Amino acid sequence: MAFGHRTRMGRDPGLHRPPAVVQDLQRVRRDKQLTMCRPEPPQAVIFDLDGTLVQTREASWRVFEKVSAAHDLDITTAEQFYEMFANNFFVSLRGLCRDAEHARVVEEDFMRSLGADYAPLMIPGMVDVVKSLVPHATLAVLSSNATEVIRRILRKNTLEYCFGHVFGGDVEPDKAKGIQRFLDDAAQGSGRRCQAFYDESAAGGAVPAGSTAIITDTVGDVEAAMRSGIRAVGVAWGMHTEEQLLAAGAEFVAIWPQEILAHLFAGATETTECACPASPAVALPPSLEVSARVQRRVSGAKALQARITPHRPLTPQNPQAITAAPIPGGAPVPVPGGAPVANGAESVADSELLLAVRLAMP
């Protein structure tokens, strides 16, 4: 602004009111927080697969793009494909087809292509979320994808025995009917604890609709949950936005996977463990009384040792590693300045461990 020149001040654009739709959504969210108490933790949790457990947007579009071109469905962009999930996907797909026979052929081709070419990665953090839920609730998968694909993804990520029920699109294309089939199962209260057999010690019996929650990324699934009388929790990393999911009726939308645990099981006191593999805890001798700070240092040093050991190459520039190599059929070879090393473990890691512990001591 030049000196001596008076500038007219305009209205601050930041003071403009948001559109009416946004105001309504803000009012709904505010009213929910003021009037609703936190419900009890659910007894059963249903997971959508694509976009909720796995990263699906790009992987599924690449599969469908070929199917669309082969059958003249006129879906040419990823955005058009994502919009098909606003309703039940198969309902949207049939609306693109000429007749029932054409729809049947297209569905079969799409499911066959998924089985052959669809290989998405898990959402980071969701494996831990699933395994953390196992002791607290019966888990199920409800997906528009083929059962063959669900099986492959769950087995690849060692989650197959965490779920007691799986409803694929080839078993039940309608999500609302899939939810009802789960609710009508007289024994759906008996789940799994990451082992092949079902938990026969569980109370069993049907879980009430109000004690069942679905975790999903699509408006269509939330609406199906509302019609079935079950709870719906959205995730913000999938097909639809937080605002869309809340407007459809989701009670909460998680921005990070760990928020699912915090929202559903914040007050849970269940401590029963499942058979999921867990990292071993660092144990100190009971006679050694040290502070929590020292214990954290020891744990960190142990983690450092685990990272260093398998990656240090055996080279002439690393004579300690060569000296530490065990003789086939012989005893561990002692390394100068360190403890005996067995099974290829190196004294360098042990030295760093001892150094970390000494630094932690008062």
Side-chain angles (χ1 to χ4, degrees):
M1 182 174 67
F3 288 105
H5 183 272
R6 185 175 180 178
T7 302
R8 184 179 178 181
M9 299 298 291
R11 178 182 294 179
D12 181 0
L15 299 177
H16 290 174
R17 288 187 176 184
V21 174
V22 176
Q23 293 185 55
D24 291 342
L25 178 58
Q26 292 172 342
R27 190 178 304 110
V28 168
R29 295 179 68 180
R30 183 170 61 250
D31 292 344
K32 279 187 177 182
Q33 292 172 355
L34 292 176
T35 61
M36 292 183 64
C37 297
R38 181 183 292 275
E40 291 293 321
Q43 300 174 42
V45 178
I46 303 172
F47 281 90
D48 175 46
L49 179 76
D50 304 298
T52 301
L53 287 175
V54 299
Q55 305 175 45
T56 188
R57 295 174 68 90
E58 187 67 20
S60 60
W61 162 239
R62 291 307 174 196
V63 173
F64 188 81
E65 184 179 22
K66 298 177 183 178
V67 174
S68 178
H71 297 279
D72 299 321
L73 300 181
D74 200 29
I75 299 295
T76 57
T77 68
E79 288 69 26
Q80 290 176 307
F81 171 65
Y82 301 150
E83 283 301 316
M84 294 175 65
F85 290 86
N87 194 358
N88 179 276
F89 173 78
F90 287 99
V91 172
S92 301
L93 182 60
R94 289 162 193 162
L96 300 173
C97 301
R98 296 186 299 271
D99 50 40
E101 177 59 23
H102 185 214
R104 183 189 65 80
V105 173
V106 172
E107 285 182 20
E108 288 181 355
D109 189 17
F110 182 51
M111 299 300 279
R112 183 168 53 250
S113 299
L114 286 174
D117 303 326
Y118 184 64
L121 298 174
M122 291 287 295
I123 298 292
M126 286 304 287
V127 169
D128 178 65
V129 168
V130 169
K131 291 187 175 183
S132 296
L133 288 176
V134 168
H136 302 286
T138 300
L139 304 186
V141 171
L142 179 64
S143 173
S144 298
N145 219 316
T147 304
E148 172 191 4
V149 177
I150 300 171
R151 176 188 175 97
R152 183 174 70 239
I153 292 172
L154 295 184
R155 296 204 76 163
K156 179 181 178 181
N157 294 280
T158 64
L159 294 176
E160 68 272 29
Y161 294 135
C162 296
F163 293 94
H165 309 264
V166 167
F167 295 94
D170 48 350
V171 174
E172 182 50 74
D174 189 318
K175 289 289 189 75
K177 291 182 179 178
I179 293 172
Q180 196 57 50
R181 288 178 63 169
F182 177 76
L183 294 175
D184 290 341
D185 187 340
Q188 41 104 327
S190 297
R192 281 170 161 164
R193 294 185 181 269
C194 296
Q195 294 178 323
F197 53 82
Y198 283 79
D199 183 13
E200 298 180 7
S201 64
V207 175
S211 296
T212 303
I214 187 170
I215 314 297
T216 182
D217 68 312
T218 65
V219 166
D221 287 359
V222 173
E223 293 175 342
M226 296 298 98
R227 293 194 298 271
S228 303
I230 70 172
R231 300 167 59 185
V233 173
V235 297
W237 52 81
M239 287 289 183
H240 294 143
T241 66
E242 179 182 3
E243 290 74 21
Q244 289 173 315
L245 294 167
L246 288 171
E251 66 182 50
F252 177 76
V253 177
I255 299 176
W256 311 284
Q258 293 74 18
E259 280 194 299
I260 297 171
L261 299 174
H263 175 73
L264 292 178
F265 293 92
T269 57
E270 174 94 16
T271 57
T272 306
E273 296 182 355
C274 67
C276 297
S279 301
V282 177
L284 293 176
S287 58
L288 183 60
E289 297 182 0
V290 294
S291 67
R293 176 165 97 47
V294 173
Q295 294 184 36
R296 287 196 298 271
R297 288 289 186 91
V298 173
S299 298
K302 285 285 188 182
L304 175 65
Q305 181 186 30
R307 290 196 302 270
I308 292 175
T309 299
H311 300 295
R312 192 175 298 277
L314 303 179
T315 64
Q317 289 76 23
N318 187 9
Q320 282 186 314
I322 293 177
T323 308
I327 301 173
V333 180
V335 178
V341 179
N343 299 328
E346 294 134 17
S347 64
V348 176
D350 292 336
S351 299
E352 295 192 27
L353 171 62
L354 292 174
L355 177 61
V357 172
R358 290 193 188 102
L359 291 174
M361 291 298 181

